[in-house]
Every structure is written in structure tokens, then in C-alpha cells.
Amino acid sequence: MSDALRDRLPNFEAGHVWLVGAGPGDPGLLTLHAANALSQADVVIYDALVNEECLKLASSDAQLEYAGKRGGKPSPKQRDISLKLVEYAQAGKRVLRLKGGDPFVFGRGGEEALTLVEHSIPFRIVPGITAGIGGLAYAGIPVTHRDTNHNVTFLTGHDATGIMPDAIDWAGVARGSKVIVMYMAMKHIDTIAKRLIAEGRPVDEPVAFVCDASTDKQSVLETTLGDAAKDVEASGLKPPAIVIVGEVVRLRKGLDWYSALKDGHSLVPDPLGVRSKGESA
């Protein structure tokens, strides 16, 4: 980073909290603001989805504190994490709350920021690349493509209690969204798939599970809505995962650049079989 650019980045002031998105995993997807925050922070409180390679950008003097939440495992309560941010800031620390993906996309960043407001703590939000877009891009799956869809729905596969959220209008999602991107849905995929099929989605509609997206451990399972539950169980894949439902999954045969660069396999120029000889407008 040039000195001229570095000088234009904000100063991380004592007693402030920055809520920063670390992206889906690849450290190269950190924003300049995120890297700047890591270089200045006194305390870095990071979650379970942050690639620890990102933490190597932190100052050698920084205090690194894990505050990850994992379903079914002992985890700190959200209120306690929020209040810890307040405590460190009130002690005059520069506090970086580092979250996988984006803080405002199923990241509870809003909850934490409102706690800071409650205690008059100044803060900054630094958006990150959410896994539902960036992670799928590393799997060669675009969330929109004009030959398949003009809308996309992002949803979470479980609510605050850990069960499939009843507050979602599943019938409306099934009928109204050509592409569905689901966070934290692997655990309930059997129930979710059956619900979507009952609401009219085709049994053979393409589905993909992308685990450890954008990292060296990335793995992708392509299946169908009808077979999703049994196939993911047979695969042995574990969260974190992004699940996508829709015809865009078929584009992976042509757009799986990440795997192609690693193993040299050929990509298909017309995975949907819709391209004409001439370029469309």
C-alpha cells in the first residue's frame, strides 16, 4: 500500500469500535479499510468464520480474542460479546470486531452497533464481501445471470433458537425467487428442501453446497433439491456452508475458475446451451 493511499485512510481513534467484515475466507478479499483497521487495533475480537490468516495483518501488540459462536457448542452469549466491546472501548482501547463476511448480512452487526449506541460509544461500520456472493463466486456460481434469473433471495436457514425460521414466507420465496441463497441451512436442509418442493419447486432443481468458501479447503457438492439431504449426508461435508438453489448452479460447468486454476480442467463456454453464434446486446 502506497504512503499516499495509507494517508487517506481513517485513523482508528482510542475508545472507538470498528465493526469490520473479513469476507468469506480468502485474506485477499479483505478491504483496504479492514487491513487498515487490523494494523491499528489494540484489541481484535473475531468470530468463528474469520480465516486466521487475516489475523496476521494485526499489529504484533494487538490482543486477539476469539468470540466465535457455533451451533451445538459452548459459545459466548451475544449480549456478553456486545458488552465486551463497550468495556474495552471505555478503557480507551481501539476495538476491532472482526466478522466473517459482512457485519450486516446475518452477522449480528446491527445488534452490536445498537449496544454501542446505547453506551455512547463511537463506531464505524466496514462492510465486507458476504459469503453468499463472494463465496459462490469462488465456486463459479453467479447469484444473477440474465439467462436464468433477474432476482435473488438471501435467507437464513435457522433463527435465533437454532430451528428453521417459521417467520420466512416459504411459499412466497418458492414462487417468487428464481434463485435462493441460504446461510446456515445445512442442518435443516431436509426440512427446507421438502418445504420448497411442497410449495412448487421442481424436485430436480439444481442445488449446490459450498463449504469453506474461497479457502484452500473449499469443497462443492452439486445435487438436486430432491436429493440434497441424502447427498449432503453421504458427502460428509460440514458447515460453514452456503447453499444455493436455482438454475444458476448449472453455470458452474463454465465458470468454475477457482478449481480450473488449481487442477487445469477445461471449462464449458455454453453451460446452459443458450448462446447464439453472434454476441447478444
Side-chain angles (χ1 to χ4, degrees):
M1 189 187 305
S2 70
D3 290 340
L5 178 55
R6 191 187 306 276
D7 289 343
R8 297 182 63 181
L9 295 175
N11 184 49
F12 200 158
E13 297 182 27
H16 287 223
V17 175
W18 287 14
L19 297 151
V20 176
D26 184 347
L29 297 179
L30 286 168
T31 65
L32 290 176
H33 279 313
N36 178 47
L38 279 161
S39 71
Q40 296 185 65
D42 298 314
V43 181
V44 180
I45 300 177
Y46 64 100
D47 71 18
L49 297 179
V50 172
N51 185 342
E52 294 197 6
E53 289 296 309
C54 296
L55 300 176
K56 293 180 180 179
L57 294 175
S59 165
S60 59
D61 296 327
Q63 174 183 337
L64 305 180
E65 189 167 326
Y66 178 75
K69 299 175 75 66
R70 275 282 187 257
K73 297 182 179 180
S75 302
K77 295 184 182 301
Q78 183 58 55
R79 182 65 176 172
D80 292 338
I81 295 173
S82 299
L83 290 176
K84 183 168 291 188
L85 301 178
V86 172
E87 178 184 345
Y88 280 127
Q90 289 177 337
K93 302 293 186 180
R94 294 171 294 185
V95 187
L96 169 55
R97 177 66 168 118
L98 192 62
K99 293 173 168 290
D102 181 281
F104 279 4
V105 181
F106 304 118
R108 302 186 181 182
E111 297 172 44
E112 294 176 357
L114 288 173
T115 301
L116 299 174
V117 172
E118 178 186 349
H119 292 83
S120 300
I121 303 296
F123 66 94
R124 174 185 287 266
I125 304 296
V126 178
I129 298 174
T130 183
I133 296 175
L136 291 175
Y138 268 61
I141 304 172
V143 295
T144 65
H145 186 77
R146 65 178 177 172
D147 290 323
T148 59
N149 64 302
H150 294 88
N151 68 344
V152 57
T153 294
F154 296 87
L155 59 85
T156 176
H158 71 240
D159 60 19
T161 66
I163 63 175
M164 185 176 125
D166 288 331
I168 291 175
D169 180 359
W170 291 100
V173 170
R175 292 194 303 267
S177 188
K178 290 288 188 178
V179 171
I180 307 168
V181 176
M182 296 182 282
Y183 295 68
M184 299 169 284
M186 184 179 282
K187 179 179 178 181
H188 301 300
I189 193 60
D190 185 31
T191 304
I192 291 171
K194 288 176 180 176
R195 183 69 179 270
L196 291 173
I197 291 170
E199 300 294 351
R201 302 295 286 224
V203 174
D204 61 352
E205 185 168 21
V207 176
F209 294 81
V210 183
C211 298
D212 295 305
S214 81
T215 72
D216 291 339
K217 297 187 296 182
Q218 175 176 292
S219 54
V220 182
L221 170 67
E222 292 184 59
T223 179
T224 63
L225 204 54
D227 292 336
K230 70 177 182 64
D231 283 353
V232 76
E233 182 177 2
S235 73
L237 292 175
K238 302 295 181 184
I242 286 289
V243 184
I244 182 168
V245 178
E247 287 298 305
V248 289
V249 172
R250 295 201 287 134
L251 285 160
R252 188 165 183 264
K253 291 184 176 64
L255 300 176
D256 185 18
W257 63 273
Y258 191 52
S259 295
L261 288 175
K262 289 194 293 185
D263 62 27
H265 76 262
S266 298
L267 298 175
V268 179
D270 188 14
L272 299 178
V274 298
R275 291 181 61 186
S276 61
K277 292 183 180 179
E279 289 296 325
S280 58

